[in-house]
Amino acid sequence: MPLLLTGMWLSGCTAMLIGDGTSNTQTGGTTQTPDSAIASAVRSRLAAEPTVEATAIQVRSDRGRVTLSGEVASYVEKDRAGRLAGSVSNVASVDNRLVVISGGSR
């Protein structure tokens, strides 16, 4: 019987080491979305917004903390981009480092 229990315990350890084949990671019982997926979702949200020039904005995500960098034409555009990024699922915070270029030239 002890040998059987040891075998069951070891098979459980193997399953924990191998995982289930998904790219999500388990932390404290909650599923975290990979940063690449978060950054991609933010880029898509920005690209879908006609008042934001998304091609001039770089997006990085680190553990759900999104950083926006690049140049925009106005403070309204900067604010809108930050709000859009913050509205994306799994975004924990937004560090809006966008620079407003006077005169609207990029």
Side-chain angles (χ1 to χ4, degrees), residues 33-49 52 54 57-61 64 66-68 80-92 94:
T33 302
D35 286 309
S36 60
I38 293 171
S40 179
V42 170
R43 284 186 203 97
S44 293
R45 180 77 49 95
L46 294 175
E49 176 57 46
V52 173
I57 299 174
Q58 292 80 47
V59 179
R60 284 188 10 236
S61 180
V66 170
T67 301
L68 302 177
R80 184 72 178 139
R83 290 177 185 270
L84 286 168
S87 71
V88 172
S89 268
N90 299 307
V91 170
V94 177

Side-chain angles (χ1 to χ4, degrees), residues 73-86:
S74 69
Y75 288 101
V76 171
E77 187 177 358
K78 176 181 178 172
D79 181 65
R80 184 72 178 139
R83 290 177 185 270
L84 286 168

Side-chain angles (χ1 to χ4, degrees), residues 4-62:
L4 179 62
L5 292 176
T6 303
M8 289 172 54
W9 180 79
L10 287 175
S11 66
C13 288
T14 303
M16 290 186 339
L17 290 172
I18 294 172
D20 63 358
T22 65
S23 59
N24 290 343
T25 57
Q26 292 287 337
T27 306
T30 61
T31 301
Q32 295 179 337
T33 302
D35 286 309
S36 60
I38 293 171
S40 179
V42 170
R43 284 186 203 97
S44 293
R45 180 77 49 95
L46 294 175
E49 176 57 46
T51 63
V52 173
E53 182 56 50
T55 58
I57 299 174
Q58 292 80 47
V59 179
R60 284 188 10 236
S61 180
D62 181 22

